Amino acid sequence: MAITKIFAGAGSGEGKTQGMYRGGLFFRNPGAGEWQAVTNGLPDKVEVRTIAVSPHDSNVLFAGTQDGPYRSIDGGVHWEKLGFPDKGAVIWTMSVHPTNPKIVYAGAAPVVVYRSIDGGDNWKRLPTAKSPAHCERGGFDTRTIRITVDPSRPDDLYVAIEVSGVIRSSDGGETFTDVSQTLIDLARNNKHLQSAIGGRHCGICEGMLDSHSLVVSPAAPGTPFLGVRMGIFKSDDRGASWHDINVGRASPLTYCRDVIVSPHDPRVMYTCLSPAAFSKDGSLYRSDDLAQTWKRIDHGIKCETTLMSVFVHVGDPAQVYCVTRAGQVFGTADAGGSWSEYRLPEGVHDVYAVACI
């Protein structure tokens, strides 16, 4: 079994809870010891909303903070601030290109997409990346929540926006096209897909535009999978149209916060399902057939809050880690046969990301 270091990223709260919690980047080994705050090179009172591990070199990590992106080239021991154009940009997602380690993307709130072509040393703000299906709410900055490159079409870039659907670029981010219309149509034509919390401008379509995760498997070129408030949706035509994969057939919980593809088997997928954004439950499911069927694998543990993120160890497919909003990290070393809990330090309650190397 590969030696493992677990990382978790947390913010300090949002809206009414802003500043109430302890943010930061934390790490520990699964076998012994306690969580430790990572400080070498990171800003004071750091808030980390995303962690990206390079698929080309697991010692290269990126962290998205309230002060732009940071990078480590030694497995998370030391961190450096990168040459970023916008001071104070809040980074919600980062992604290393699957075939070119020099290309890295970052997404911010309010919605902006950035690209680096030198491994993160310098960054360029890309042309407007706002969806026409743009929703707003007082006190909530619409977020670039996930950036995904199709491994089979290296210039195809999909961007999931919370709460504004999906946009796509076919030229590496130079221009973007909205691909959210089918999501809107599905909400208008299917009552069970309608959801509106209120305060936004997209009405009953809000839930379908509440994007959280987006992934493309090497085993299914041109086929993005999108996780939203209303479930998991799939496109067979590069985002031109979407359809429901009906994850509710397998799970009573359908609010999707994360969906990923295993780095070891492109047909294996994992998803985090919960009742709502702020809830007292959550469950982890795995598919072995590209989302055709799903099976729950988190046995013997209990999520006390919404399940937010899942990660598969890059060197060992049996090691899987997931994290809840309030800081429960669960891990398995035997592909879900047994689980251990590694609860984050007291005061950490606004958790978004987990990773391991």
Side-chain angles (χ1 to χ4, degrees), residues 57-220:
D57 181 352
S58 60
N59 283 312
V60 178
L61 290 82
F62 294 88
T65 80
Q66 80 278 19
D67 187 33
Y70 283 73
R71 179 184 62 197
S72 171
I73 60 173
D74 58 7
V77 178
H78 300 92
W79 294 81
E80 59 181 326
K81 184 174 175 60
L82 302 174
F84 208 65
D86 295 336
K87 183 178 181 180
V90 180
I91 303 301
W92 280 87
T93 185
M94 299 192 70
S95 177
V96 180
H97 196 284
T99 62
N100 187 341
K102 292 293 186 180
I103 299 177
V104 188
Y105 291 97
V111 176
V112 183
V113 176
Y114 302 88
R115 182 183 63 211
S116 171
I117 59 173
D118 55 14
D121 290 338
N122 299 281
W123 296 80
K124 174 186 176 182
R125 177 196 272 249
L126 298 180
T128 180
K130 183 178 288 189
S131 167
H134 199 58
C135 307
E136 288 287 4
R137 178 177 67 179
F140 182 96
D141 287 332
T142 303
R143 304 161 178 163
T144 314
I145 201 70
R146 192 62 57 90
I147 302 172
T148 300
V149 177
D150 186 338
S152 67
R153 303 176 66 106
D155 288 330
D156 271 16
L157 183 71
Y158 297 87
V159 179
I161 305 174
E162 183 186 17
V163 177
S164 289
V166 182
I167 56 177
R168 186 194 71 212
S169 174
S170 299
D171 52 19
E174 292 301 319
T175 59
F176 286 92
T177 302
D178 180 70
V179 290
S180 305
Q181 188 58 52
T182 303
L183 300 173
I184 295 171
D185 294 341
L186 283 168
R188 288 173 175 168
N189 298 327
N190 297 274
K191 190 172 182 179
H192 72 283
L193 297 179
Q194 297 174 2
S195 174
I197 293 176
R200 307 185 196 273
H201 299 300
C202 43
I204 60 172
C205 302
E206 181 189 322
M208 288 297 293
L209 298 174
D210 193 9
S211 301
H212 298 140
S213 187
L214 185 61
V215 68
V216 181
S217 170

